[in-house]
Each structure stands twice: as structure tokens, then as C-alpha cells.
Amino acid sequence: MAFSNTSGKKITILLLIIIWSGAVFWAGWQSPTIIGGPFSAQKEEVVSAKFYPLDKFVISVPGDEYPHYLLLEMAFKSRSENVENTIKQADPVIRNSLMKMFSKKHFNELNDSQQFESLQKEAHQLLTAVLAENEFSIELDDVLFTRMVIQ
């Protein structure tokens, strides 16, 4: 039995269709890895803020009759990388600038609970400027006073 010329053409066309279909299926299946995945949904990495507490310190504050003392505990909120190491390196500059800021405040000003928010904002602005001035590359989202005792 010999195949006729038309049967051979039909088989050849059928094989080409099967091979073509297989190649298209494989290319469609592998397209994200071949093209680089621009059609797949990319998950954006969300960097959450972390909190970095500082060691507490005591600052002398002027009063009407005698000096007072301020015990301050605080934390930084930041999304930057390597914040903990940067804070350790910048600790003397941070403490110095905060001591200067609070030593210029009067006892009555610090003892007023209405001033708490403005003091945090002032400390945030001051520390952002001081860290940038000393070429420490972190961004402070917020400066939080976690404990403030005035005696």
C-alpha cells in the first residue's frame, strides 16, 4: 500500500499544525520567563517603619528659683535602612543637640502639657538638620518622647 500524494500532504500539514500548536502553547507557557515577566503582577515591597529607642538621659533645665532636671526617653521612627547603626554612630551629636535645645527651655515651658507636641516637632526638625549636616544618611519620620519626667 502506497500512500497517495494527497495523503502525504495531509499528514505533513497535520504534523505542521501539531508542531505549531505545541510551539505556541510552550511559548505562551514560558512567556513570563522569556520576556521578563512584564505582564505578570509585580508585588511592590512595602517598607514598614520601625522604631529605634535611645538610651534615657538627664538634662538640667533652668527654673525660677533653682535648676530642675528632665529625664527624657525617646525613640525614632524611620523607614531608612541601617538606622540602628547610624544612630549608634550619631549618638554624641544627637545627645548634644537635644541637651542644647532643652537647656534653653524654661521649666514652666517644659512642664506645660500643651507644649508636648510642639517640643516633639522641634526635636524632629533639629535632629533632621543635625543628621544631614553631619552626613548621616537616614530619614527620620518622627521623633517620639516615650517618657518625660521633670523634677
Side-chain angles (χ1 to χ4, degrees):
M1 286 187 151
F3 287 105
S4 68
N5 198 11
T6 59
S7 300
K9 286 182 183 178
K10 287 181 183 178
I11 292 174
T12 305
I13 291 173
L14 184 61
L15 285 173
L16 286 174
I17 291 172
I18 292 173
I19 291 171
W20 177 256
S21 298
V24 169
F25 177 75
W26 180 82
W29 188 265
Q30 297 296 320
S31 66
T33 56
I34 293 171
I35 298 173
F39 301 113
S40 63
Q42 299 277 334
K43 292 183 180 177
E44 292 184 27
E45 186 176 323
V46 178
V47 179
S48 61
K50 294 182 181 173
F51 295 91
Y52 303 93
L54 290 163
D55 291 335
K56 60 185 167 187
F57 54 102
V58 178
I59 303 168
S60 178
V61 177
D64 290 332
E65 297 177 26
Y66 51 88
H68 296 271
Y69 296 99
L70 167 70
L71 171 71
L72 183 65
E73 290 182 20
M74 57 190 306
F76 293 153
K77 176 183 173 185
S78 179
R79 289 175 170 47
S80 298
E81 294 182 19
N82 202 19
V83 175
E84 194 166 4
N85 189 34
T86 304
I87 290 173
K88 286 179 185 176
Q89 290 176 351
D91 188 61
V93 175
I94 291 169
R95 287 177 176 275
N96 183 276
S97 58
L98 287 171
M99 286 176 62
K100 286 179 182 178
M101 180 186 119
F102 281 104
S103 65
K104 292 177 184 175
K105 305 288 182 192
H106 192 270
F107 170 76
N108 295 333
E109 186 178 355
L110 295 174
N111 205 22
D112 184 9
S113 63
Q114 301 294 324
Q115 295 295 324
F116 192 75
E117 187 73 30
S118 64
L119 286 171
Q120 283 187 178
K121 287 180 182 178
E122 184 180 348
H124 180 256
Q125 290 172 347
L126 173 71
L127 292 175
T128 300
V130 165
L131 289 171
E133 183 180 299
N134 288 288
E135 299 178 5
F136 290 107
S137 60
I138 59 171
E139 290 184 33
L140 295 179
D141 294 339
D142 209 354
V143 173
L144 307 169
F145 296 153
T146 55
R147 186 174 179 200
M148 194 165 133
V149 179
I150 302 170
Q151 208 174 20

